[in-house]
Amino acid sequence: MMLVVMKTDASVSETDDVIQKIESLGLKPQASRNADHAVISIVGSNENIELSHIQAMPGVAQIIPSADPFTLVTLKHKPERTIVNAGDVPIGGEEFVVMAGPCAVESHEQAMSTAKMVHEAGARILRGGAFKPRSSPYSFQGLGEDALKILLAAKRETGLPIVTEVITPELVPVVSEYADILQIGSRNMQNYFLLEAAGKANKPILLKRGMMSTIEELLLAAEYVLANGNNQVILCERGIRTFEKATRNTLDISAVPVLKHSCHLPVIVDPSHATGRREYIPAAAKAAVAAGADGILVEVHPSPEHALSDGIQSLSFGEFKTMMDEIRRIAAAVGRRVGTADR
Ligand code: PEP
Ligand code: MN
């Protein structure tokens, strides 16, 4: 990408002329304004861009080429951090947002009791899978739209906005009817048709890092969503596959500061899928707070040993409450706040 930085005293019409010139070269400009000057990002690769005409135009201060393959997600393009609004919950602001609930919605009772408990303990978003992308075709695949209806009932009862996964572009409309945030799972991070559909949806997107994806690939996946018109994107580090077998995945905690360094989107951590074992979740969640994440996505079940999916990595109600007390203390130490039942 390229950044055309306008002079502080450049007029609006000079900026418009540069935008038109870039368009006439068959390129895609995206303008934004910093405190004192306009910046026009030329979206796409740097190949074959003839810059001399633009450089000479009135009002242009400088052109900065960048080696980054993405544009819209970068802090260079948009220096102020994005706050994603899920219902009435801002993500990426001062509050460290806890999203909690079962891996999969299994029944009305299971989802409702979990929703009430996590709400009482200070979670701000309810998670729950309706359409589950399972590694095995013989595993529980989720209750589908029935699960969405149960989640909606739990939202009405507790007020918690819902995050749930969408696994195909065709399902985006129905999931959008119920959900406040559409989750794109690890297995689908590079499903480009789904990313395009998410870009056209009018709901925030929770984009999970592919288990074998680099940070650059995660940012390129987010770029797809932004390039298709949706800038309400939350990135989620959920562990990557390494040679280590003591945990289900390896939590790449440094992904949090790396992403925060170059990208304006909120970043959260999923300590459940990252570790795969409930006894390690509180430590990973505390690390997320300390590393500067904006929240966590965590699995909780009323009876983890009977869960239809991901029971070994689901916290019991008691374990969840204890973890909330622990992360509250870390959050206070780093100047963040964790919700309470009454906000
Ligand atoms: C999930 O959140 O339940 C899930 C399937 O996660 P991931 O896509 O990270 O495996
Ligand atoms: Mn799960």
Side-chain angles (χ1 to χ4, degrees):
M1 76 153 169
M2 297 269 178
L3 291 175
V4 181
V5 181
M6 300 299 290
K7 292 180 179 155
T8 44
D9 60 356
S11 68
V12 173
S13 71
E14 283 170 343
T15 306
D16 287 346
D17 288 348
V18 173
I19 292 172
Q20 271 172 23
K21 181 75 191 170
I22 295 168
E23 278 169 348
S24 74
L25 295 169
L27 302 163
K28 265 184 133 181
Q30 289 256 357
S32 59
R33 254 209 96 76
N34 295 349
D36 55 357
H37 56 255
V39 175
I40 304 159
S41 305
I42 304 179
V43 181
S45 76
N46 290 345
E47 288 159 40
N48 309 322
I49 301 185
E50 181 45 81
L51 294 172
S52 49
H53 322 291
I54 301 170
Q55 183 78 69
M57 291 181 76
V60 173
Q62 57 170 331
I63 298 184
I64 308 172
S66 159
D68 294 341
F70 28 71
T71 306
L72 307 177
V73 297
T74 63
L75 276 167
K76 282 186 217 144
H77 173 72
K78 178 175 178 287
E80 65 288 354
R81 296 210 172 268
T82 294
I83 303 225
V84 171
N85 291 299
D88 61 348
V89 178
I91 300 150
E94 190 218 334
E95 183 175 344
F96 182 84
V97 175
V98 176
M99 311 183 183
C103 176
V105 173
E106 299 168 6
S107 69
H108 186 276
E109 170 56 27
Q110 172 247 19
M112 190 63 86
S113 62
T114 309
K116 285 184 187 162
M117 188 283 298
V118 299
H119 174 239
E120 273 301 299
R124 299 297 306 277
I125 309 270
L126 174 64
R127 67 149 288 150
F131 297 93
K132 296 299 300 177
R134 303 308 302 279
S135 299
S136 164
Y138 307 117
S139 300
F140 176 57
Q141 305 285 314
L143 297 179
E145 193 168 353
D146 288 344
L148 296 177
K149 293 190 168 128
I150 293 171
L151 287 169
L152 190 59
K155 173 182 171 175
R156 291 201 170 119
E157 180 72 26
T158 58
L160 294 178
I162 298 163
V163 58
T164 192
E165 183 162 353
V166 55
I167 54 177
T168 67
E170 294 72 30
L171 283 167
V172 169
V174 63
V175 177
S176 299
E177 267 177 49
Y178 297 88
D180 298 282
I181 305 175
L182 308 180
Q183 176 173 327
I184 295 186
S186 190
R187 289 158 190 77
N188 265 321
M189 189 205 84
Q190 289 185 311
N191 179 338
Y192 301 112
F193 293 112
L194 183 57
L195 295 171
E196 281 176 27
K200 292 178 181 127
N202 60 356
K203 293 284 161 135
I205 306 300
L206 170 53
L207 180 63
K208 299 188 85 174
R209 180 178 180 181
M211 62 188 88
M212 287 167 287
S213 298
T214 62
I215 292 172
E216 181 172 300
E217 287 163 340
L218 172 62
L219 288 170
L220 282 168
E223 183 86 8
Y224 260 89
V225 182
L226 270 68
N228 279 278
N230 188 351
N231 58 13
Q232 292 277 289
V233 177
I234 306 157
L235 303 174
C236 180
E237 161 60 36
R238 49 77 75 205
I240 50 174
R241 224 172 230 193
T242 68
F243 52 81
E244 183 50 65
K245 291 197 273 198
T247 47
R248 181 176 178 186
N249 292 289
T250 298
L251 173 58
D252 180 10
I253 196 70
S254 51
V256 176
V258 171
L259 289 166
K260 286 269 166 180
H261 189 75
S262 60
C263 166
H264 56 78
L265 300 171
V267 179
I268 67 165
V269 167
D270 173 347
S272 305
H273 291 84
T275 63
R277 297 277 295 271
R278 79 171 66 89
E279 57 270 42
Y280 308 138
I281 291 172
K286 284 183 276 186
V289 185
D294 297 298
I296 48 170
L297 177 72
V298 61
E299 292 183 336
V300 182
H301 195 282
S303 174
E305 55 291 358
H306 297 114
L308 296 182
S309 64
D310 285 349
I312 8 169
Q313 64 180 42
S314 297
L315 297 175
S316 69
F317 289 3
E319 288 163 343
F320 180 71
K321 285 183 196 145
T322 306
M323 183 194 74
M324 289 298 280
D325 289 340
E326 291 177 11
I327 63 174
R328 205 162 265 128
R329 290 204 288 276
I330 308 288
V334 296
R336 302 293 283 268
R337 192 164 49 79
V338 174
T340 53
D342 46 13
R343 302 272 157 119

